[in-house]
Structures are given as structure tokens and as C-alpha cells.
Amino acid sequence: KALAADRGMLFTYARPQPVAYWMKNTLIPLDTIFIAPDGRVLSIARNAQPHSETPIASGGRVLGVLELSGGRAAQLGLLPGDRVLHRIFPKG
């Protein structure tokens, strides 16, 4: 029902792959950040609509997907090409 501004959900994959998400059972708008294998933001679906069954495609191979509260990516100034730091992504 809610997601605090300083919280998110990180989904990781064993190997890089194209993915698609939907919002069917989601109650709040979310920003979905698709993260390439090198840790760079590949694409961002901003303010995805709750309950939508429309697939949101990554636009390429990803190793992780970060979901934040809707509008949070803009508040942080997050853009494609930015680097995400987490142990699953290489440093550098």
C-alpha cells in the first residue's frame, strides 16, 4: 500500500536477460529502473500505473531491476547511463 522514499525492491537475475514487468497486483505507482550487467541504468519506466497489465519492457539485457516509489527516480535525478552500486554489479 506504500513504499517509503528511502526504500525500494531490487530484483536480480542469475544471468543478463531481457525482462518485462507489469503492475497487475501493485497498489501504488512505481518507478521501475532496469539495470544493465555493467551496473548502468538501461531504462526507467516512470510512475508505472497501478493494476496495469501492460508489459513494461527493459529494452535490452539486464541483471537487475530496482523498483522505487513513483516519482522517486526524478527526485534523485536518476537517468539512463547512471551507475548503480551494488555487490551484483562490477565496480568501475
Side-chain angles (χ1 to χ4, degrees):
K1 295 180 182 179
L3 183 60
D6 64 342
R7 297 286 184 244
M9 298 168 283
L10 179 63
F11 301 91
T12 62
Y13 298 92
R15 61 183 176 8
Q17 59 191 293
V19 300
Y21 278 54
W22 65 353
M23 299 286 289
K24 180 179 180 179
N25 298 313
T26 306
L27 303 176
I28 60 172
L30 294 176
D31 289 345
T32 305
I33 296 98
F34 297 98
I35 308 165
D38 66 358
R40 296 200 184 272
V41 173
L42 178 66
S43 63
I44 304 171
R46 298 178 188 273
N47 284 301
Q49 294 303 306
H51 307 292
S52 174
E53 294 185 31
T54 302
I56 302 168
S58 58
R61 295 178 341 125
V62 298
L63 193 58
V65 178
L66 178 62
E67 290 184 336
L68 302 173
S69 293
R72 188 67 176 138
Q75 290 172 347
L76 295 171
L78 192 60
L79 297 169
D82 288 346
R83 183 172 294 280
V84 174
L85 302 176
H86 188 273
R87 68 180 174 272
I88 70 163
F89 304 116
K91 295 183 191 329

